Amino acid sequence: MSPILDIDGSLIGFMATEEDVTELKNREEVLELLTNRFMRTTSAANIATWEWDITTDKLINDTIFFKLYGADLNFDPRGAYEAWKSFLHPDNRERTVNDLQEILQNPKKPFDLKYKIITPTGEIKILRAIAEVVRDINGKPLKAYGVNWDITLEEEIDHAKTEFISLASHELRTPMTTVRWYAEMLLHGDMGNLNDTQKDYLKTIADGNLHLVNIVNALLDVSRMELGTLATKNEVINFSAITEQIKNEFQAHLTKKKLNYHANIDPSVPNISADPKFIEIIFQNLLSNAIKYTPNKGTITLSIHLNADKTHVIIAVTDTGCGIPSSEYDRIFSKLFRATNVRNEFSEGTGLGLYLTKSIVDSTGGKIWFESEENNGSTFFVSYPVEGMRNV
Ligand code: ADP
Protein backbone atom coordinates (compact mmCIF):
# COMPACT_ATOMS: atom_id res chain seq x y z
CA MET A 1 0.00 0.00 0.00
CA SER A 2 1.39 3.44 -0.87
CA PRO A 3 0.05 6.88 0.07
CA ILE A 4 -1.12 9.33 -2.62
CA LEU A 5 -0.17 12.94 -1.85
CA ASP A 6 -1.21 16.16 -3.57
CA ILE A 7 1.38 18.77 -4.65
CA ASP A 8 1.37 20.31 -1.13
CA GLY A 9 2.16 16.99 0.37
CA SER A 10 -1.23 16.36 1.92
CA LEU A 11 -2.52 12.86 2.01
CA ILE A 12 -5.41 12.40 -0.34
CA GLY A 13 -5.63 8.67 -0.52
CA PHE A 14 -3.92 5.31 -0.76
CA MET A 15 -3.14 3.00 -3.60
CA ALA A 16 -3.16 -0.65 -2.66
CA THR A 17 -2.94 -4.07 -4.24
CA GLU A 18 -4.21 -7.23 -2.73
CA GLU A 19 -2.86 -10.69 -3.48
CA ASP A 20 -3.75 -14.16 -2.32
CA VAL A 21 -0.57 -15.63 -0.74
CA THR A 22 -2.15 -18.73 0.73
CA GLU A 23 -0.26 -21.01 -1.62
CA LEU A 24 3.04 -19.29 -0.99
CA LYS A 25 2.46 -19.56 2.74
CA ASN A 26 1.59 -23.21 2.38
CA ARG A 27 4.75 -23.84 0.40
CA GLU A 28 6.83 -22.03 3.00
CA GLU A 29 5.32 -24.19 5.69
CA VAL A 30 6.04 -27.40 3.77
CA LEU A 31 9.58 -26.23 3.12
CA GLU A 32 10.09 -25.49 6.79
CA LEU A 33 8.66 -28.84 7.75
CA LEU A 34 10.91 -30.70 5.30
CA THR A 35 14.02 -28.75 6.26
CA ASN A 36 13.29 -29.35 9.91
CA ARG A 37 12.78 -33.07 9.38
CA PHE A 38 15.92 -33.32 7.22
CA MET A 39 18.10 -31.47 9.75
CA ARG A 40 16.80 -33.47 12.71
CA THR A 41 17.11 -36.90 11.10
CA THR A 42 20.58 -36.32 9.63
CA SER A 43 21.72 -34.89 12.94
CA ALA A 44 20.25 -37.84 14.90
CA ALA A 45 22.04 -40.29 12.61
CA ASN A 46 25.22 -38.19 12.49
CA ILE A 47 25.10 -38.08 8.73
CA ALA A 48 26.86 -35.19 7.04
CA THR A 49 25.45 -33.84 3.79
CA TRP A 50 27.43 -32.06 1.12
CA GLU A 51 27.28 -30.67 -2.36
CA TRP A 52 30.40 -30.49 -4.49
CA ASP A 53 30.49 -28.32 -7.58
CA ILE A 54 33.08 -30.23 -9.56
CA THR A 55 33.59 -27.60 -12.24
CA THR A 56 34.37 -24.80 -9.78
CA ASP A 57 35.70 -27.17 -7.07
CA LYS A 58 33.51 -25.54 -4.42
CA LEU A 59 32.07 -27.56 -1.57
CA ILE A 60 28.99 -26.75 0.48
CA ASN A 61 28.74 -28.78 3.64
CA ASP A 62 26.94 -28.80 6.94
CA THR A 63 27.97 -28.73 10.60
CA ILE A 64 28.04 -32.52 10.88
CA PHE A 65 30.55 -32.60 8.06
CA PHE A 66 32.63 -30.15 10.04
CA LYS A 67 32.32 -32.45 13.08
CA LEU A 68 33.43 -35.52 11.11
CA TYR A 69 36.51 -33.91 9.58
CA GLY A 70 37.23 -31.56 12.46
CA ALA A 71 37.77 -28.75 9.96
CA ASP A 72 36.17 -26.75 7.20
CA LEU A 73 37.10 -27.82 3.71
CA ASN A 74 35.36 -25.17 1.67
CA PHE A 75 37.60 -22.21 2.51
CA ASP A 76 40.84 -23.99 1.75
CA PRO A 77 42.82 -21.96 -0.82
CA ARG A 78 43.88 -25.19 -2.54
CA GLY A 79 40.24 -25.90 -3.44
CA ALA A 80 37.88 -28.44 -1.91
CA TYR A 81 39.30 -31.47 -3.72
CA GLU A 82 42.91 -30.92 -2.66
CA ALA A 83 41.74 -30.09 0.87
CA TRP A 84 39.77 -33.35 1.05
CA LYS A 85 42.77 -35.28 -0.33
CA SER A 86 44.96 -33.90 2.42
CA PHE A 87 42.64 -35.45 5.03
CA LEU A 88 43.04 -38.95 3.57
CA HIS A 89 45.24 -41.32 5.54
CA PRO A 90 48.46 -42.08 3.60
CA ASP A 91 47.56 -45.81 3.82
CA ASN A 92 44.65 -45.35 1.45
CA ARG A 93 45.18 -41.98 -0.19
CA GLU A 94 46.24 -43.27 -3.59
CA ARG A 95 43.55 -45.97 -3.71
CA THR A 96 40.77 -43.58 -2.66
CA VAL A 97 41.81 -40.89 -5.13
CA ASN A 98 41.94 -43.51 -7.93
CA ASP A 99 38.54 -44.89 -6.92
CA LEU A 100 37.01 -41.42 -6.94
CA GLN A 101 38.50 -40.58 -10.33
CA GLU A 102 37.16 -43.84 -11.73
CA ILE A 103 33.68 -43.04 -10.39
CA LEU A 104 33.77 -39.55 -11.91
CA GLN A 105 34.88 -40.92 -15.25
CA ASN A 106 32.53 -43.87 -15.38
CA PRO A 107 28.81 -43.01 -15.14
CA LYS A 108 28.01 -46.67 -14.50
CA LYS A 109 30.06 -46.84 -11.31
CA PRO A 110 28.09 -46.07 -8.17
CA PHE A 111 29.57 -43.40 -5.89
CA ASP A 112 30.17 -45.47 -2.77
CA LEU A 113 33.52 -45.02 -1.03
CA LYS A 114 35.05 -46.14 2.26
CA TYR A 115 38.20 -44.39 3.36
CA LYS A 116 40.36 -43.59 6.33
CA ILE A 117 41.02 -39.97 7.30
CA ILE A 118 43.19 -38.20 9.84
CA THR A 119 41.59 -35.17 11.47
CA PRO A 120 43.70 -32.10 12.38
CA THR A 121 43.84 -33.41 15.98
CA GLY A 122 45.32 -36.69 14.76
CA GLU A 123 42.16 -38.78 15.18
CA ILE A 124 41.87 -41.64 12.68
CA LYS A 125 38.38 -42.36 11.38
CA ILE A 126 36.90 -44.53 8.68
CA LEU A 127 34.19 -42.76 6.70
CA ARG A 128 31.73 -43.89 4.10
CA ALA A 129 30.56 -41.56 1.35
CA ILE A 130 27.60 -42.18 -0.93
CA ALA A 131 26.66 -39.65 -3.56
CA GLU A 132 24.85 -38.97 -6.78
CA VAL A 133 26.83 -37.45 -9.61
CA VAL A 134 25.06 -35.07 -11.98
CA ARG A 135 26.55 -35.03 -15.48
CA ASP A 136 26.12 -33.12 -18.73
CA ILE A 137 24.84 -34.92 -21.83
CA ASN A 138 28.36 -36.14 -22.64
CA GLY A 139 28.70 -37.75 -19.23
CA LYS A 140 31.05 -35.07 -17.91
CA PRO A 141 30.58 -34.79 -14.12
CA LEU A 142 29.24 -31.40 -13.01
CA LYS A 143 28.11 -31.81 -9.43
CA ALA A 144 27.96 -34.43 -6.72
CA TYR A 145 25.40 -34.48 -3.92
CA GLY A 146 26.31 -36.81 -1.11
CA VAL A 147 26.39 -37.97 2.46
CA ASN A 148 29.27 -38.95 4.77
CA TRP A 149 29.18 -40.88 7.99
CA ASP A 150 31.58 -42.46 10.44
CA ILE A 151 31.89 -46.27 10.14
CA THR A 152 34.97 -46.70 12.34
CA LEU A 153 33.16 -48.81 14.93
CA GLU A 154 31.50 -51.10 12.37
CA GLU A 155 34.85 -51.58 10.65
CA GLU A 156 36.53 -52.43 13.95
CA ILE A 157 33.85 -55.03 14.71
CA ASP A 158 34.19 -56.42 11.21
CA HIS A 159 37.96 -56.59 11.65
CA ALA A 160 37.58 -58.47 14.94
CA LYS A 161 35.20 -60.94 13.26
CA THR A 162 37.62 -61.47 10.41
CA GLU A 163 40.43 -62.06 12.89
CA PHE A 164 38.28 -64.64 14.62
CA ILE A 165 37.53 -66.42 11.33
CA SER A 166 41.20 -66.37 10.45
CA LEU A 167 42.19 -67.87 13.78
CA ALA A 168 39.37 -70.41 13.82
CA SER A 169 40.03 -71.63 10.28
CA HIS A 170 43.74 -71.85 10.98
CA GLU A 171 43.06 -73.97 14.08
CA LEU A 172 40.61 -76.20 12.18
CA ARG A 173 43.09 -77.07 9.48
CA THR A 174 45.33 -79.35 11.53
CA PRO A 175 42.65 -81.75 12.84
CA MET A 176 41.01 -81.84 9.42
CA THR A 177 44.26 -82.75 7.76
CA THR A 178 44.68 -85.55 10.31
CA VAL A 179 41.23 -86.92 9.40
CA ARG A 180 42.21 -86.76 5.74
CA TRP A 181 45.45 -88.70 6.17
CA TYR A 182 43.85 -91.42 8.28
CA ALA A 183 40.88 -91.78 5.92
CA GLU A 184 43.25 -92.10 2.96
CA MET A 185 45.41 -94.65 4.75
CA LEU A 186 42.38 -96.76 5.60
CA LEU A 187 41.03 -96.47 2.05
CA HIS A 188 44.36 -97.61 0.60
CA GLY A 189 44.11 -100.72 2.75
CA ASP A 190 47.14 -99.81 4.88
CA MET A 191 45.36 -101.21 7.94
CA GLY A 192 43.99 -104.29 6.20
CA ASN A 193 41.29 -104.92 3.63
CA LEU A 194 37.89 -103.27 3.98
CA ASN A 195 34.62 -104.58 2.65
CA ASP A 196 32.71 -102.53 0.04
CA THR A 197 30.28 -100.95 2.53
CA GLN A 198 33.15 -99.89 4.79
CA LYS A 199 34.92 -98.41 1.76
CA ASP A 200 31.75 -96.54 0.73
CA TYR A 201 31.33 -95.05 4.18
CA LEU A 202 34.97 -94.10 4.38
CA LYS A 203 34.81 -92.49 0.94
CA THR A 204 31.84 -90.39 2.12
CA ILE A 205 33.88 -89.34 5.17
CA ALA A 206 36.89 -88.46 2.98
CA ASP A 207 34.76 -86.47 0.47
CA GLY A 208 33.00 -84.57 3.24
CA ASN A 209 36.31 -83.83 4.86
CA LEU A 210 37.77 -82.59 1.57
CA HIS A 211 34.82 -80.23 1.16
CA LEU A 212 35.44 -78.93 4.69
CA VAL A 213 39.14 -78.46 3.95
CA ASN A 214 38.20 -76.41 0.86
CA ILE A 215 35.81 -74.22 2.83
CA VAL A 216 38.29 -73.67 5.64
CA ASN A 217 41.12 -72.87 3.21
CA ALA A 218 38.91 -70.40 1.36
CA LEU A 219 37.84 -68.78 4.64
CA LEU A 220 41.45 -68.52 5.72
CA ASP A 221 42.50 -66.91 2.42
CA VAL A 222 39.56 -64.50 2.47
CA SER A 223 40.19 -63.45 6.06
CA ARG A 224 43.91 -62.98 5.41
CA MET A 225 43.12 -60.87 2.37
CA GLU A 226 40.67 -58.73 4.34
CA LEU A 227 43.12 -58.33 7.21
CA GLY A 228 45.80 -57.30 4.75
CA THR A 229 48.15 -60.07 5.86
CA LEU A 230 48.40 -61.58 2.38
CA ALA A 231 51.11 -59.23 1.16
CA THR A 232 52.48 -59.50 -2.40
CA LYS A 233 55.90 -60.94 -3.09
CA ASN A 234 56.32 -60.42 -6.81
CA GLU A 235 58.45 -62.66 -9.00
CA VAL A 236 58.88 -62.95 -12.75
CA ILE A 237 55.96 -65.04 -14.00
CA ASN A 238 56.09 -67.05 -17.19
CA PHE A 239 52.60 -67.97 -18.36
CA SER A 240 53.61 -71.00 -20.44
CA ALA A 241 55.18 -72.60 -17.38
CA ILE A 242 52.16 -71.75 -15.23
CA THR A 243 49.62 -73.17 -17.67
CA GLU A 244 51.59 -76.40 -17.92
CA GLN A 245 51.63 -76.70 -14.14
CA ILE A 246 47.91 -75.86 -13.91
CA LYS A 247 47.05 -78.51 -16.48
CA ASN A 248 48.90 -81.14 -14.47
CA GLU A 249 47.09 -80.10 -11.33
CA PHE A 250 43.66 -80.39 -12.93
CA GLN A 251 44.35 -83.37 -15.19
CA ALA A 252 42.58 -85.88 -12.92
CA HIS A 253 39.40 -83.74 -12.82
CA LEU A 254 39.49 -83.13 -16.58
CA THR A 255 39.85 -86.85 -17.26
CA LYS A 256 37.16 -87.80 -14.75
CA LYS A 257 34.61 -85.56 -16.49
CA LYS A 258 35.99 -86.35 -19.99
CA LEU A 259 36.42 -82.62 -20.64
CA ASN A 260 38.30 -81.26 -23.66
CA TYR A 261 40.91 -78.79 -22.56
CA HIS A 262 42.71 -76.25 -24.77
CA ALA A 263 45.34 -73.74 -23.76
CA ASN A 264 46.04 -70.90 -26.21
CA ILE A 265 48.99 -68.86 -25.05
CA ASP A 266 49.92 -66.00 -27.34
CA PRO A 267 53.74 -66.24 -27.65
CA SER A 268 54.05 -62.45 -27.64
CA VAL A 269 52.76 -62.27 -24.03
CA PRO A 270 55.78 -61.15 -21.99
CA ASN A 271 56.76 -62.44 -18.58
CA ILE A 272 55.16 -60.24 -15.96
CA SER A 273 56.01 -59.35 -12.41
CA ALA A 274 53.40 -60.98 -10.17
CA ASP A 275 52.98 -62.89 -6.97
CA PRO A 276 52.90 -66.64 -7.75
CA LYS A 277 50.57 -67.40 -4.82
CA PHE A 278 48.02 -64.86 -6.11
CA ILE A 279 48.38 -66.08 -9.69
CA GLU A 280 47.77 -69.59 -8.44
CA ILE A 281 44.61 -68.55 -6.52
CA ILE A 282 43.27 -66.77 -9.64
CA PHE A 283 43.90 -69.70 -12.01
CA GLN A 284 42.82 -72.24 -9.43
CA ASN A 285 39.46 -70.54 -8.86
CA LEU A 286 38.62 -69.78 -12.48
CA LEU A 287 39.60 -73.23 -13.74
CA SER A 288 38.04 -75.18 -10.89
CA ASN A 289 34.77 -73.27 -11.44
CA ALA A 290 34.88 -73.94 -15.19
CA ILE A 291 35.40 -77.64 -14.50
CA LYS A 292 32.82 -77.77 -11.73
CA TYR A 293 30.06 -76.03 -13.70
CA THR A 294 30.59 -77.80 -17.03
CA PRO A 295 28.85 -81.11 -17.69
CA ASN A 296 30.81 -84.18 -18.81
CA LYS A 297 32.42 -84.01 -22.27
CA GLY A 298 32.27 -80.20 -22.33
CA THR A 299 35.14 -77.94 -23.35
CA ILE A 300 37.34 -75.66 -21.28
CA THR A 301 39.63 -73.16 -22.96
CA LEU A 302 42.34 -71.16 -21.27
CA SER A 303 43.56 -68.26 -23.36
CA ILE A 304 46.27 -65.76 -22.49
CA HIS A 305 46.83 -62.87 -24.86
CA LEU A 306 47.61 -59.16 -25.07
CA ASN A 307 44.95 -56.50 -25.68
CA ALA A 308 45.01 -54.56 -28.96
CA ASP A 309 47.23 -51.78 -27.53
CA LYS A 310 49.58 -54.39 -26.04
CA THR A 311 49.30 -52.65 -22.68
CA HIS A 312 47.48 -55.44 -20.81
CA VAL A 313 47.72 -59.20 -20.46
CA ILE A 314 44.28 -60.82 -20.58
CA ILE A 315 43.63 -64.23 -19.09
CA ALA A 316 40.35 -65.79 -20.25
CA VAL A 317 38.81 -69.05 -19.06
CA THR A 318 35.91 -70.20 -21.24
CA ASP A 319 33.61 -73.14 -20.56
CA THR A 320 30.57 -74.71 -22.13
CA GLY A 321 28.83 -75.12 -18.80
CA CYS A 322 25.61 -74.09 -17.08
CA GLY A 323 26.25 -70.33 -17.34
CA ILE A 324 24.90 -67.67 -15.00
CA PRO A 325 21.32 -66.33 -14.92
CA SER A 326 21.41 -62.71 -16.13
CA SER A 327 19.34 -61.51 -13.14
CA GLU A 328 22.23 -62.58 -10.88
CA TYR A 329 25.18 -61.09 -12.79
CA ASP A 330 25.75 -58.28 -10.32
CA ARG A 331 25.98 -60.60 -7.31
CA ILE A 332 28.46 -63.12 -8.68
CA PHE A 333 31.50 -61.57 -6.94
CA SER A 334 29.72 -61.11 -3.59
CA LYS A 335 30.86 -63.01 -0.55
CA LEU A 336 29.10 -66.41 -0.12
CA PHE A 337 26.88 -65.89 -3.18
CA ARG A 338 26.01 -68.95 -5.28
CA ALA A 339 23.72 -68.59 -8.29
CA THR A 340 20.30 -70.22 -8.09
CA ASN A 341 21.03 -72.55 -11.04
CA VAL A 342 23.96 -74.25 -9.25
CA ARG A 343 22.80 -74.43 -5.63
CA ASN A 344 21.06 -77.80 -5.90
CA GLU A 345 22.97 -79.50 -8.66
CA PHE A 346 26.52 -78.62 -7.59
CA SER A 347 26.51 -78.78 -3.83
CA GLU A 348 30.26 -78.60 -3.26
CA GLY A 349 30.80 -74.82 -3.77
CA THR A 350 31.55 -72.28 -1.06
CA GLY A 351 30.66 -68.98 -2.76
CA LEU A 352 34.01 -67.60 -1.63
CA GLY A 353 36.29 -68.30 -4.61
CA LEU A 354 35.26 -65.42 -6.86
CA TYR A 355 34.99 -62.99 -3.95
CA LEU A 356 38.57 -63.82 -2.98
CA THR A 357 39.76 -63.72 -6.60
CA LYS A 358 38.17 -60.29 -7.14
CA SER A 359 39.61 -58.96 -3.87
CA ILE A 360 43.08 -60.06 -4.97
CA VAL A 361 42.71 -58.77 -8.53
CA ASP A 362 41.27 -55.40 -7.43
CA SER A 363 43.87 -54.77 -4.78
CA THR A 364 46.80 -55.68 -7.04
CA GLY A 365 45.80 -53.35 -9.90
CA GLY A 366 44.00 -55.83 -12.16
CA LYS A 367 40.46 -56.11 -13.49
CA ILE A 368 38.06 -59.05 -13.48
CA TRP A 369 34.79 -59.50 -15.39
CA PHE A 370 32.78 -62.16 -17.15
CA GLU A 371 30.43 -62.88 -20.02
CA SER A 372 27.89 -65.63 -19.64
CA GLU A 373 24.61 -66.96 -20.85
CA GLU A 374 22.55 -69.40 -18.85
CA ASN A 375 22.92 -72.96 -20.21
CA ASN A 376 25.42 -71.70 -22.75
CA GLY A 377 28.73 -71.36 -20.94
CA SER A 378 30.77 -68.57 -19.42
CA THR A 379 34.05 -66.76 -19.91
CA PHE A 380 35.84 -65.20 -16.98
CA PHE A 381 38.48 -62.57 -17.80
CA VAL A 382 41.30 -61.19 -15.68
CA SER A 383 43.58 -58.46 -16.99
CA TYR A 384 46.77 -56.90 -15.66
CA PRO A 385 48.96 -54.14 -17.05
CA VAL A 386 52.06 -55.65 -18.69
CA GLU A 387 54.07 -54.01 -15.88
CA GLY A 388 52.47 -56.61 -13.61
CA MET A 389 50.82 -56.69 -10.21
CA ARG A 390 50.79 -53.66 -7.94
CA ASN A 391 52.32 -54.34 -4.54
CA VAL A 392 50.00 -54.56 -1.54
P1 ADP B 1 31.65 -71.59 -5.66
O1 ADP B 1 32.49 -72.21 -4.63
O2 ADP B 1 30.18 -71.69 -5.39
O3 ADP B 1 32.00 -72.01 -7.04
P2 ADP B 1 32.61 -68.98 -6.43
O4 ADP B 1 32.77 -67.75 -5.61
O5 ADP B 1 33.81 -69.52 -7.09
O6 ADP B 1 31.93 -70.03 -5.49
O7 ADP B 1 31.52 -68.65 -7.53
C1 ADP B 1 30.33 -67.99 -7.15
C2 ADP B 1 29.18 -68.43 -8.03
O8 ADP B 1 29.39 -67.96 -9.37
C3 ADP B 1 29.05 -69.93 -8.18
O9 ADP B 1 28.37 -70.51 -7.10
C4 ADP B 1 28.29 -70.04 -9.49
O10 ADP B 1 26.92 -69.76 -9.29
C5 ADP B 1 28.86 -68.88 -10.30
N1 ADP B 1 29.93 -69.31 -11.21
C6 ADP B 1 31.26 -69.09 -11.05
N2 ADP B 1 31.96 -69.59 -12.08
C7 ADP B 1 31.05 -70.12 -12.92
C8 ADP B 1 31.13 -70.80 -14.20
N3 ADP B 1 32.31 -71.00 -14.80
N4 ADP B 1 29.98 -71.20 -14.76
C9 ADP B 1 28.78 -70.98 -14.16
N5 ADP B 1 28.62 -70.36 -12.97
C10 ADP B 1 29.75 -69.94 -12.37
Side-chain angles (χ1 to χ4, degrees), residues 312-336:
H312 287 76
V313 176
I314 298 175
I315 301 158
V317 177
T318 304
D319 64 55
T320 54
C322 65
I324 297 166
S326 57
S327 59
E328 293 172 332
Y329 283 173
D330 52 354
R331 299 173 66 195
I332 282 303
F333 295 107
S334 316
K335 203 193 269 187
L336 298 173

Side-chain angles (χ1 to χ4, degrees), residues 255-272:
T255 313
K256 195 168 158 205
K257 290 187 84 174
K258 300 193 179 65
L259 296 168
N260 301 302
Y261 173 80
H262 305 288
N264 302 326
I265 320 296
D266 178 348
S268 63
V269 171
N271 290 345
I272 73 164

Side-chain angles (χ1 to χ4, degrees), residues 285-286 289-290 292-293 319 321-324 332 334 337-342 348-355 372 378 380:
N285 277 303
L286 298 189
N289 278 349
K292 188 165 34 176
Y293 299 118
D319 64 55
C322 65
I324 297 166
I332 282 303
S334 316
F337 182 75
R338 306 199 68 223
T340 39
N341 64 332
V342 308
E348 75 268 35
T350 62
L352 286 170
L354 285 181
Y355 170 76
S372 179
S378 315
F380 278 81

Side-chain angles (χ1 to χ4, degrees), residues 239-240 242-247 250 260-266 282-283 286-287 290 299-305 314-319 379-380:
F239 284 108
S240 303
I242 294 233
T243 39
E244 199 49 39
Q245 178 198 330
I246 289 282
K247 181 163 187 251
F250 283 105
N260 301 302
Y261 173 80
H262 305 288
N264 302 326
I265 320 296
D266 178 348
I282 295 168
F283 276 99
L286 298 189
L287 277 162
T299 302
I300 313 269
T301 312
L302 167 65
S303 136
I304 304 180
H305 57 276
I314 298 175
I315 301 158
V317 177
T318 304
D319 64 55
T379 300
F380 278 81

Side-chain angles (χ1 to χ4, degrees), residues 64-95:
I64 306 169
F65 191 94
F66 180 82
K67 246 172 51 191
L68 283 183
Y69 285 80
D72 231 327
L73 269 71
N74 44 357
F75 297 118
D76 197 297
R78 293 168 295 180
Y81 179 62
E82 283 302 319
W84 171 78
K85 254 169 73 176
S86 70
F87 277 81
L88 296 174
H89 192 288
D91 270 7
N92 68 178
R93 185 174 292 140
E94 195 188 330
R95 177 186 61 74

